[in-house]
Amino acid sequence: MELRASSSLLPCILLLSLFSSVGTVSAQQKFGINYGQIANNLPDPTQVASLLRSMNVNKVKLYDADPKVLTAFANTGVEFIISVGNENLQTMASSPGAARQWVAQHVQPFIPATRITGIIVGNEVLGNNDTAMAASLVPAMQAVYDALAALGVGGGQVTVSSAHSVNVLATSFPPSSGTFQEGVAQYVKPLLDFHSKTGSPFLINAYPFFAYKGSPGSVSLPYVLFQPNAGVRDGGLVYDNMLYAQIDAVYAAMKAMGHADIGVRVSETGWPSKGDEDEVGATAQNAAAYNGNLMQRIAMSQGTPLKPSVPIDVFVFALFNENMKPGPASERNYGLFYPNGSPVYAINAGTAGANPGFGGSGGGSSVGRFDPYSSQSMFSSASRLAVRRRLSSLTLLLVLPMVSALLAS
């Protein structure tokens, strides 16, 4: 009997592939994924919908409001955050009617079939020396927020925010001394007031990779990869990884400006599997360690030292490698998957190997097994055992019926 990768069997094949490469699957993944599309070889959005359902990922962030994607994910239950491009901000700020037209075109036709739960207005606007765009940010956000209300879209459940580079901070270490850059403070104050009024989170794009790449001699690799290390102390708090320190530095910076009532969400973080010769640390091994360890912590609903009872809320960058992104090689190699659907590397598994994906060849990078739940891990044996039991049970429940379906076909 010949087994063919027909479209009807794609979800089964993809999930079997994923179980061999991602050892951190849970009944419902708690992390979101960034779905970038700066490439000319990506699969059709309907296939992507199958992939994400197979992964049990239910949160996706787009960098636009692609109608093909939003249509493909109708009635899947996947939550979407869509984006207004930077090029639209000044027009929306000066003409609220433009914001209303944007919402009418990019949101209203898709709700409620597609679960749009958030709109990001602008990406990394602050800190790039474009004062006109910076001044337009909050007025544009307010215009989008008002347009949602005027059109009766989302029932008040669609949040409006903006994503910022962690570099908007002038000081981030120690975390308790976090402050915003002097040049952006005048724009941050009304932004925080908006978040406080509307209940939306402050979003940051945080990449410990950049810190390690810039100073590999002084930045500890285990510290940025969530691997066991001595940690760093900030008063009575101990940080064992850079991402948590960056998150808490944002909390401190907001508190310094009078706001302790706003949540922080990581809109982007990830690690490249490949880079140029001078991009130290851009390897499949490190990418597997970073994303694998991060997913383990998310699965445990872990909080930061400053906010231990508030689980970190993270969107991993990115779903696919994007071959048309400009810049250094690392920019094109952040994906968890190749465009053919095969994993770029194994997370908490032996090797990625060749996987059927969307019908193309494998091409997965060979990386050694990295097990953050090893005997040297910082996690307790009880936590390790609980997670492993949950994963073993889930594997039996999901994989066996699919094997039967494959054989029956």
Side-chain angles (χ1 to χ4, degrees), residues 213-226:
K213 171 186 169 182
S215 303
S218 58
V219 176
S220 163
L221 186 60
Y223 180 66
V224 294
L225 293 181
F226 304 95

Side-chain angles (χ1 to χ4, degrees), residues 33-36 61 63 123-124 163-169 172 203-215 219 223-226 241-247 250 265-273 279-280 287 290-291 294 314-320 322 325 330-335 345:
I33 195 82
N34 281 279
Y35 179 7
K61 181 164 78 69
Y63 291 89
N123 184 57
E124 299 189 351
H164 311 281
S165 167
V166 75
N167 291 328
V168 296
L169 297 178
S172 60
L203 306 181
I204 59 166
N205 300 336
Y207 290 89
F209 165 70
F210 292 136
Y212 180 75
K213 171 186 169 182
S215 303
V219 176
Y223 180 66
V224 294
L225 293 181
F226 304 95
N241 70 86
M242 182 177 288
L243 181 65
Y244 286 13
Q246 291 175 328
I247 294 172
V250 175
R265 196 176 200 182
V266 180
S267 43
E268 287 183 22
T269 193
W271 196 284
S273 60
E279 294 191 281
V280 180
Y290 184 85
N291 285 321
L294 175 60
V314 175
F315 281 77
V316 173
F317 186 86
L319 183 56
F320 295 111
E322 299 172 71
K325 291 195 71 174
S330 61
E331 288 294 318
R332 295 176 287 282
N333 289 280
Y334 274 92
Y345 47 81

